[in-house]
Amino acid sequence: MPAPAGRLAGALRFMGRGADADRIIKTMKRAKHNVRESNPFEIPSPTLGNSRERSPYAMRIQSMWAGWRDDVLAAFPSAPGLPKRPATYLADVDERYVTDAYNSLSIEGYQVNDELIERVAKGNWNPDGDEKTK
């Protein structure tokens, strides 16, 4: 019984729950057990955090990401870095603005026209005042 209690206390301390770990060790010592705390994790940080703060769904996604992160990163090319010609890059961004605005507003359900895109670009847009498609 002391060995499992020591692993549990070590795991709790590793996860940042030192007060709980201390409580386990103190309780076992009162029961006259010699407990040696040991961390059972072989990873540098746990994949699941404190369950009292987040939903089990968020913890599951975090755990899945921890397991798949390296595979996902390996599937993508290296980051391109900063553009060699910033003026050309910014001109390309400006050129794509109208198409991106049209797609974004259409997805939101707005009746998109050149006037609406111009108002959005100038910051004179009230989303409550524009009619959505039905």
Side-chain angles (χ1 to χ4, degrees), residues 80-99:
L82 295 174
K84 291 179 177 34
R85 290 180 272 158
T88 305
Y89 176 79
L90 291 175
D92 185 46
V93 169
D94 288 340
E95 187 178 311
R96 293 178 194 212
Y97 178 83
V98 172
T99 304

Side-chain angles (χ1 to χ4, degrees), residues 106-120:
S106 295
I107 289 169
E108 292 294 324
Y110 290 96
Q111 294 178 351
V112 182
N113 55 36
D114 291 339
E115 177 198 352
L116 177 60
I117 291 174
E118 184 70 25
R119 287 192 349 239
V120 170

Side-chain angles (χ1 to χ4, degrees), residues 69-88:
R69 182 178 189 278
D70 293 335
D71 294 336
V72 170
L73 292 176
F76 282 89
S78 299
L82 295 174
K84 291 179 177 34
R85 290 180 272 158
T88 305

